[in-house]
Amino acid sequence: QRMIGAPRADNVVTDVDEAGMLPRKLRGLFAMLFVEIFGASLTIPSSNTSASLLTATYVGVILSCFNAAQLLGAPVVGRISDASGRRWALLGCFLWTSVLFLATAGVRTFSELLLVRTLAGLSGGSIPVTQAMIMDTATPEERPKVLGVMGGLLGVAFTLGPGAVTLVLLFYQIERRLVFLASSGFALLGCLVGACVLEETLPEHRRRPLCTASPTSVAGEEASHRDCKTLAEEIWGICTPGLVLVWVGRFCSSFAFLCLFSTYAFLIRDAFSWGDREFGIVLAISGLCGALVQLAVFPSMSVLLGKHLVFTVGAALVAAYFILLPITTLMSPTVTGHIASTFLFIAGCAFMDPGVPDLVGLHAPEDRMGLAQGLTSAFRSFASVLAPLGAGSAYDFSPFLVYYVAASMTLVAGACVACAPLFGDTREEQGELESLLKKP
């Protein structure tokens, strides 16, 4: 019943570009997003530098605090964008990111670094609002292709950023603070680009105010008061079994990914004595290959297998990677085996990540899409709080434990998403129910 009556996504008319890839309103969005993500990705090789200065446990604490802040910020920013529009919410996220990268460049102690990165997470990140804008603008049929383009674009940005830093490191030894200054500048540039070209995707008639006017009767006279729901009530209002399963799948897959991301620098250091340059090369190649798969393969696989099954297939590939990773890296360490197993991870992630916002779009009401996408990010952030803390300590105990737990969590994620359509609460099925109810 909570789903019936929500605006329908298939009523949206889009202005698609000549190549048939992007609705017109998303061109400016993708331009500013590329600039900001490129800048943020410049800092990725710095995690390997941090690995040489801090223990895995300390790095895990920083990542966990950052994501704990995102856990709170993402649903709030998403709900604000449902009420006031997406444009200003996204520009605010970019500006906040720029300010906090600048502050990161000036930290001197671990306590200062921890405080600044925690504050950086409060914006909730730009991705949930971006995904809500795609749901606003693209029809259900267009979404796999648009999300594939977005995934490819982000993959290229994540390739060029670490690649640029790695190239510089080949010739110069630069201070890490300069990297964060550059990241701040690119985030600010993205904000300025967005201020010039970004279009609003959520018209006023489709917005859901934070408070609504409710009529009351006082001494026989009609009056009104502001009815403001709590965030918990708003969240309960959109929960359906299928959507909850998608969220659980997002949590489990993110937990597995963060187990890898928070320990990978230590793994390649211990197995192959790789440093910043090799780490940057791995990131660049992985990002480029992932971008190609998301752009060229994911849309057709989503149509062929269905939006839920393609995620499940990706989860199976990633689980196989986690099982093979400690074998090819620690038990029988060979660079060839390590690279070969990495392609399983690249393909699996390319099938899983782009489809998550589309799955949320199938199960969530259209008038609270920002909140739903923000909550999806919150589940990822919740996993990101727990995984680095546990993975860092577990890696110091045994790397095998970390990656086999990650494999198990990935399989659980695939099973949850595979079961989500069994409850019949997708928007298409609700639309069919509405049609049946209207028949005489």
Side-chain angles (χ1 to χ4, degrees):
Q1 291 178 350
R2 291 192 292 269
M3 296 290 291
I4 297 177
R8 296 286 305 284
D10 50 5
N11 290 334
V12 177
V13 178
T14 61
D15 179 14
V16 181
D17 68 6
E18 294 79 2
M21 298 294 285
L22 290 180
R24 178 180 55 81
K25 287 188 175 182
L26 297 181
R27 300 172 199 169
L29 169 66
F30 281 12
M32 64 181 290
L33 186 66
F34 179 86
V35 173
E36 193 261 352
I37 295 299
F38 171 81
S41 69
L42 295 175
T43 66
I44 293 177
S46 296
S47 65
N48 202 36
T49 302
S50 298
S52 64
L53 301 175
L54 302 171
T55 67
T57 300
Y58 277 119
V59 173
V61 169
I62 294 173
L63 292 174
S64 293
C65 289
F66 173 82
N67 287 289
Q70 281 201 329
L71 174 63
L72 299 175
V76 173
V77 173
R79 182 64 184 91
I80 290 173
S81 76
D82 288 333
S84 60
R86 317 288 190 207
R87 184 174 184 270
W88 287 109
L90 188 60
L91 291 176
C93 289
F94 275 48
L95 183 60
W96 185 256
T97 299
S98 176
V99 171
L100 269 298
F101 271 137
L102 180 62
T104 304
V107 299
R108 298 290 177 181
T109 66
F110 173 76
S111 298
E112 292 176 354
L113 178 61
L114 183 62
L115 175 62
V116 169
R117 297 319 300 160
T118 300
L119 291 175
L122 289 177
S123 70
S126 58
I127 299 300
V129 180
T130 299
Q131 292 167 342
M133 295 179 82
I134 293 175
M135 297 301 109
D136 294 338
T137 307
T139 65
E141 293 75 20
E142 294 169 346
R143 287 173 185 172
K145 185 179 293 184
V146 174
L147 289 168
V149 172
M150 176 181 168
L153 187 73
L154 296 183
V156 171
F158 275 113
T159 299
L160 295 179
V165 173
T166 303
L167 183 62
V168 172
L169 288 173
L170 289 174
F171 302 99
Y172 306 100
Q173 290 297 322
I174 60 174
E175 190 177 358
R176 184 163 51 91
R177 298 180 192 279
L178 297 178
V179 176
F180 284 101
L181 286 174
S183 297
S184 175
F186 277 106
L188 180 59
L189 177 61
C191 183
L192 295 176
V193 169
C196 296
V197 303
L198 184 64
E199 297 185 45
E200 179 59 64
T201 62
L202 187 65
E204 291 191 11
H205 70 274
R206 289 175 55 198
R207 298 178 187 178
R208 187 180 182 88
L210 296 175
C211 300
T212 57
S214 300
T216 59
S217 179
V218 179
E221 297 182 0
E222 290 294 327
S224 64
H225 72 279
R226 305 294 289 176
D227 181 15
C228 300
K229 293 183 178 180
T230 65
L231 184 60
E233 291 173 330
E234 293 275 7
I235 293 172
W236 175 250
I238 67 173
C239 285
T240 61
L243 183 57
V244 170
L245 282 174
V246 172
W247 283 337
V248 173
R250 184 55 168 166
F251 169 82
C252 293
S253 62
S254 298
F255 187 96
F257 295 161
L258 265 296
C259 285
L260 176 67
F261 298 156
S262 58
T263 60
Y264 186 74
F266 301 96
L267 178 69
I268 61 175
R269 181 197 64 187
D270 296 340
F272 306 116
S273 298
W274 286 355
D276 290 355
R277 297 172 185 175
E278 294 82 3
F279 187 46
I281 291 172
V282 171
L283 291 174
I285 294 175
S286 299
L288 180 60
C289 293
L292 291 175
V293 175
Q294 291 188 46
L295 183 62
V297 181
F298 169 75
S300 57
M301 291 297 292
S302 180
V303 173
L304 179 64
L305 300 178
K307 298 178 180 182
H308 294 83
L309 184 56
V310 72
F311 182 96
T312 304
V313 171
L317 293 175
V318 173
Y321 164 76
F322 280 125
I323 293 172
L324 292 174
L325 180 61
I327 298 174
T328 59
T329 308
L330 296 176
M331 288 184 63
S332 302
T334 62
V335 174
T336 302
H338 180 75
I339 293 175
S341 64
T342 300
F343 279 103
L344 289 174
F345 181 76
I346 293 171
C349 288
F351 287 172
M352 296 173 71
D353 276 348
V356 173
D358 199 7
L359 291 170
V360 174
L362 285 175
H363 292 274
E366 193 72 17
D367 61 344
R368 280 159 289 180
M369 188 60 67
L371 175 62
Q373 298 292 351
L375 284 168
T376 307
S377 179
F379 273 88
R380 180 193 181 280
S381 298
F382 184 41
S384 302
V385 172
L386 300 179
L389 285 174
S393 300
Y395 182 89
D396 290 338
F397 176 75
S398 171
F400 289 85
L401 176 63
V402 176
Y403 301 122
Y404 289 156
V405 168
S408 301
M409 294 294 284
T410 307
L411 291 175
V412 172
C416 287
V417 172
C419 293
L422 300 180
F423 293 91
D425 56 12
T426 63
R427 187 173 296 110
E428 286 81 356
E429 290 166 323
Q430 292 290 344
E432 293 174 1
L433 179 58
E434 289 180 40
S435 300
L436 291 175
L437 292 175
K438 291 179 181 179
K439 289 182 179 180

